[in-house]
Amino acid sequence: MRTRKIAGFDVSVIGLGCMNLSYGYGPGPDEAYGVRLLNEALDAGYTFMDTAALYGFGANEKLVGKAIGHRRDDYVLASKCGLRRNNEGVREINGRPDVIRETCEQSLSRLGVDVIDLYYLHRMDPNVPIEDSVGALSDLVREGKIREVGLSEVSADTIRRAHKVHPIAAVQSEYSLWTRNPEIAVLDACEDIGAAFVAFSPVARKFLTGTLQDVSGLHDDDIRKTIPRFDPENYEKNLELLEEYANLAEETGCSMAQLALAWLLAKGDTIIPIPGTTSIEHMLENAAAADVSVSFDVMTCLESLINQNTVIGARYDAKAQKSVGTEEFPS
């Protein structure tokens, strides 16, 4: 694959979100399949692998370490702190410097590495000034435990405040045709400070693939069960958008998933989508999106068809929304 820049790193224009293999959408594949998928992703040209302490409460980092630790020079490794399961077994946001350090040490051990290339603050702790959390990450850079600092799901103001403490290499947030919030202010902030923008859920948690027609049977552990857009009544209305979307994919000569990724790549040369999957076939399909060219007319049609005004339902429920700082469109 072609490459894009994150600080001094050259990474594949499409990265791999590893979360799905261990967490988020119900039971993942068995370990052997996960190991195979991660290695075949490297073989296919992926050089940017994204995990976090939260994913499977450490299980995903262990899987990544076990599967591709022996190929450490083949990829840029990203993980995250600030969102974890605490010692009492409770999921929490915690951006205290001592906890960031503890989480990093645990991640290094699980991944089996001496240094993490890009380490994000997964969520900003409302009880800890961003300057304190980023200061702790800056200390880890000086100590050689991480190489670059990133932020996730934060506002443009937070990005700029953090950047004054330590250079921010990348900002990660949800971004796809149906989640356009970064366009309000975050993309501009990233451009201003020279940070890459990493787009998670770029195929809208499977919606834009066209292969999820019925959400009534989602697993109890599937996070989409808590997302208003996937409420069966809302989702049925959202599916109506896909008929024309499928026509635009056919016109472009690609799959629906590839069109979603190609749209993001065309939005800016500092944007790096990181689709996740539990399927080797889909992983390879996503990689091929790097070679899809979207015409100006199709770009215009896409953005008119699927946007914050045409999608029914919020991207998070009220509880989850409280944990993110990304700007919101008016109701």
Side-chain angles (χ1 to χ4, degrees):
M1 274 191 271
R2 293 176 287 111
T3 61
R4 288 185 172 179
K5 285 283 190 182
I6 296 180
F9 296 113
D10 292 312
V11 302
S12 53
V13 293
I14 297 173
L16 184 68
C18 302
M19 180 186 82
N20 304 36
L21 295 171
S22 310
Y23 177 84
Y25 298 101
D30 63 37
E31 183 182 273
Y33 189 87
V35 168
R36 180 183 161 201
L37 187 151
L38 290 167
N39 278 279
E40 292 199 21
L42 294 181
D43 295 342
Y46 288 87
T47 62
F48 184 39
M49 316 300 277
D50 181 275
T51 183
L54 177 72
Y55 302 158
F57 304 115
N60 196 242
E61 288 180 322
K62 288 180 180 179
L63 175 63
V64 170
K66 179 175 182 177
I68 55 176
H70 64 293
R71 301 177 66 175
R72 183 65 185 87
D73 293 339
D74 294 346
Y75 59 94
V76 172
L77 174 63
S79 193
K80 309 177 193 72
C81 62
L83 188 55
R84 63 166 196 167
R85 182 167 60 183
N86 64 21
N87 294 333
E88 286 71 47
V90 178
R91 183 178 184 268
E92 68 169 4
I93 296 174
N94 193 321
R96 296 201 326 265
D98 61 313
V99 173
I100 286 175
R101 176 175 293 278
E102 178 187 5
T103 305
C104 181
E105 296 286 0
Q106 292 169 346
S107 291
L108 290 167
S109 176
R110 287 190 292 257
L111 289 161
V113 299
D114 296 323
V115 60
I116 297 168
D117 298 316
L118 173 62
Y119 204 48
Y120 296 94
L121 184 67
H122 206 161
R123 292 291 187 273
M124 179 181 169
D125 186 338
N127 300 310
V128 179
I130 189 63
E131 291 82 358
D132 292 355
S133 295
V134 173
L137 292 169
S138 184
D139 289 341
L140 292 172
V141 172
R142 282 192 292 272
E143 294 169 18
K145 294 180 178 179
I146 66 176
R147 292 195 170 103
E148 298 291 345
V149 174
L151 302 173
S152 178
E153 289 281 35
V154 294
S155 69
D157 178 66
T158 298
I159 293 168
R160 292 188 171 95
R161 285 171 53 197
H163 189 66
K164 290 178 180 179
V165 177
H166 187 93
I168 300 301
V171 175
Q172 182 174 141
S173 283
E174 182 176 358
Y175 190 29
S176 69
L177 278 163
W178 85 342
T179 297
R180 308 284 279 278
N181 304 66
E183 296 175 3
I184 301 172
V186 165
L187 290 176
D188 287 342
C190 288
E191 183 176 356
D192 289 345
I193 68 169
F197 182 88
V198 177
F200 76 78
S201 297
V203 295
R205 305 183 191 273
K206 204 172 184 178
F207 170 69
L208 290 172
T209 69
T211 61
L212 181 63
Q213 295 294 313
D214 182 9
V215 295
S216 63
L218 294 177
H219 192 275
D220 287 344
D221 292 334
D222 193 315
I223 57 178
R224 290 172 294 189
K225 290 194 72 135
T226 69
I227 295 176
R229 290 178 180 180
F230 289 93
D231 173 83
E233 184 176 342
N234 290 338
Y235 196 73
E236 185 176 357
K237 295 175 182 176
N238 289 328
L239 284 174
E240 296 173 7
L241 300 170
L242 293 185
E243 181 176 355
E244 180 57 25
Y245 180 76
N247 292 337
L248 292 168
E250 183 176 2
E251 178 182 335
T252 304
C254 64
S255 71
M256 293 166 71
Q258 289 169 340
L259 183 60
L261 296 169
W263 173 80
L264 274 168
L265 293 176
K267 290 295 288 181
D269 59 11
T270 61
I271 296 172
I272 303 162
I274 51 166
T277 184
T278 57
S279 161
I280 291 173
E281 179 184 359
H282 293 160
M283 176 272 291
L284 296 172
E285 175 188 351
N286 292 339
D291 297 322
V292 173
S293 178
V294 186
S295 71
F296 175 81
D297 287 345
V298 169
M299 289 287 288
T300 301
C301 290
L302 285 171
E303 295 185 13
S304 175
L305 176 66
I306 303 177
N307 57 61
Q308 69 276 8
N309 297 315
T310 62
V311 172
I312 307 300
R315 75 179 182 115
Y316 284 133
D317 65 12
K319 180 180 179 181
Q321 184 58 46
K322 290 180 180 178
S323 73
V324 302
T326 313
E327 291 83 358
E328 293 295 309
F329 289 103
S331 300

